[in-house]
Amino acid sequence: MDEESFAFGSFRLIPAQRMLLEDGKPLRLGSRALELLIALVEHAGETIQKDQLIARVWPDTVVDEGALRVHVAALRKALGDGRAGNRYIVNDPGRGYSFVAPVAREQRQPATAPPDGATVGGNLPMPLTRIVGRDGIIAALTTQLAQRRFLTIVGPGGIGKTTVAIAVAETVRASYRDGVWFVGLASLPDPDLVPSALSTALGISLPGANPISGLAGWLRDKRALIVLDSCEHVIGAVASIAEAILKAAARVSILATSREPLRAEGEWLHRLSSLELPPRSDDLTPDGALQYSAVQLFNERALAIIDGFALATKMLLRSSRFVTGWTGCRSRLNWQPHASTCSVSRGLPRGSTIASLS
């Protein structure tokens, strides 16, 4: 069966492989930014309502329009929207967004397994924002992954598991001659689709009768790292596939992210902690607060949404009291400054949280 792709400008989008190419080379995007692009391109020329985009990109998470705006801005930056007269994504005020560049739909044969000796680079997405406060964890997990073939990063939603996993995979990618492969599972509605998602990322065709055996067989002689992201709703399927692959392929490693352990044979866990927050204090200044990674991240996300945003002392005091002390939000920073507490004319959109913006 032919595979549909979309060509626009210097880009080619292949939804079935969850891949975006620029001048024939993979352009790494985060899973949510890629899902947003697919939704817009599939309906090029039409305005898609904001709530429809949010429901597609965050199917199991409650977020507001602020998160959508952040990802649209990051996607525009990745595409070079506005440079050299190129326009791709346009905002229809009060309604939604539209993909306005000319798009050519094409059909092509699906990718098959690369021939022996072929160079395989992988499909690791590129972070669209700076990683804050995770250097030590990334270094530690890089060392652990070299010693343990099956490592799962566990933590609550929005804490940064995907960001850390991608950074670790990027650090070690040179060690895997057959590539580092990212498999985003967040949007899968059915555990039975996990083998298909993995085969699509690898670019191979699997037998319908026993796809897990086919995956294990193809990977048997490979030296590769597979990143399985957002496994919490398909834990049983992921655990079975991971065990089968690791037993069959001695030089394949698996790095997974999940809100809870996979409870699979050979799995090692790392529970990701939240970013560092300052202690509760009425004497806390903006400069002092910015020495802490959680506040640094908040500040960067706020700057992405509000032109001219700046931390103010009144904001720090009011926000710390609102959450009954910094220690009350160690698991997730949920800071909601209002217009009266900001040094600009308006605050963050109602309900914006660092969890939804990251």
Side-chain angles (χ1 to χ4, degrees):
M1 183 177 178
D2 288 347
E3 187 174 72
E4 187 174 44
S5 65
F6 301 85
F8 53 93
S10 59
F11 300 96
R12 181 179 301 278
L13 176 65
I14 311 171
Q17 296 189 39
R18 300 191 64 77
M19 181 180 294
L20 177 65
L21 304 175
E22 182 180 15
D23 294 325
K25 299 179 181 179
L27 180 66
R28 301 199 298 275
L29 288 176
S31 59
R32 285 173 176 156
L34 182 60
E35 188 64 36
L36 177 61
L37 178 62
I38 292 171
L40 291 168
V41 170
E42 286 180 343
H43 300 278
E46 305 173 22
T47 297
I48 306 181
Q49 299 291 331
K50 295 176 183 178
D51 56 353
Q52 292 177 304
L53 289 172
I54 289 172
R56 175 160 177 173
V57 178
W58 292 272
D60 301 313
T61 307
V62 177
V63 301
D64 71 354
E65 294 179 9
L68 180 61
R69 285 197 294 271
V70 168
H71 283 76
V72 168
L75 186 54
R76 283 173 169 159
K77 181 178 179 180
L79 296 175
D81 199 325
R83 292 201 298 265
N86 295 320
R87 293 306 309 273
Y88 296 104
I89 303 171
V90 171
N91 178 31
D92 186 347
R95 296 183 61 197
Y97 295 92
S98 175
F99 194 87
V100 297
V103 175
R105 291 176 179 254
E106 301 175 358
Q107 300 290 330
R108 68 174 204 164
Q109 290 295 318
T112 57
D116 291 341
T119 299
V120 182
N123 66 339
L124 197 63
M126 179 179 62
L128 297 181
T129 55
R130 186 174 73 92
I131 300 174
V132 177
R134 296 298 193 189
D135 291 348
I137 293 296
I138 292 168
L141 290 177
T142 298
T143 300
Q144 290 182 39
L145 190 60
Q147 301 167 348
R148 302 163 179 170
R149 295 174 56 215
F150 187 7
L151 182 61
T152 301
I153 302 173
V154 177
I159 201 169
K161 300 184 295 295
T162 300
T163 297
V164 170
I166 291 173
V168 171
E170 179 67 38
T171 302
V172 302
R173 67 184 307 162
S175 301
Y176 297 93
R177 71 177 186 216
D178 294 304
V180 175
W181 301 94
F182 182 88
V183 187
L185 303 175
S187 61
L188 286 191
D190 188 335
D192 291 340
L193 296 177
V194 173
S196 177
L198 185 49
S199 65
T200 297
L202 294 171
I204 62 176
S205 298
L206 294 178
N210 195 341
I212 296 180
S213 177
L215 274 171
W218 187 80
L219 289 165
R220 190 178 307 278
D221 299 323
K222 302 293 189 294
R223 182 174 181 82
L225 172 65
I226 299 172
V227 182
L228 300 172
D229 184 53
S230 300
C231 302
E232 53 273 352
H233 61 302
V234 287
I235 282 179
V238 172
S240 296
I241 291 174
E243 290 175 356
I245 289 175
L246 294 175
K247 288 177 180 178
R251 292 179 293 178
V252 171
S253 298
I254 292 176
L255 177 62
T257 73
S258 178
R259 297 185 185 185
E260 55 184 287
L262 305 184
R263 298 179 179 85
E265 183 180 349
E267 178 188 27
W268 290 81
L269 298 179
H270 178 90
R271 297 189 181 275
L272 188 63
S273 60
S274 58
L275 294 174
E276 186 181 13
L277 288 161
R280 183 182 183 185
S281 171
D282 289 344
D283 298 325
L284 187 64
T285 65
D287 286 343
L290 284 169
Q291 302 304 308
Y292 295 85
S293 55
V295 183
Q296 293 172 21
L297 179 60
F298 170 83
N299 191 58
E300 290 199 4
R301 297 297 188 267
L303 285 169
I305 299 173
I306 306 172
D307 292 336
F309 174 86
L311 284 174
T313 301
K314 286 179 64 178
M315 178 193 302
L316 296 170
L317 295 176
R318 182 170 178 177
S319 298
S320 64
R321 289 165 183 162
F322 177 75
V323 298
T324 317
W326 292 107
T327 55
C329 57
R330 290 286 179 183
S331 62
R332 181 179 296 179
L333 181 59
N334 186 2
W335 202 355
Q336 299 174 305
H338 301 276
S340 63
T341 65
C342 298
S343 58
V344 291
S345 61
R346 58 191 176 91
L348 286 175
R350 185 182 300 274
S352 286
T353 68
I354 289 304
S356 67
L357 300 182
S358 60

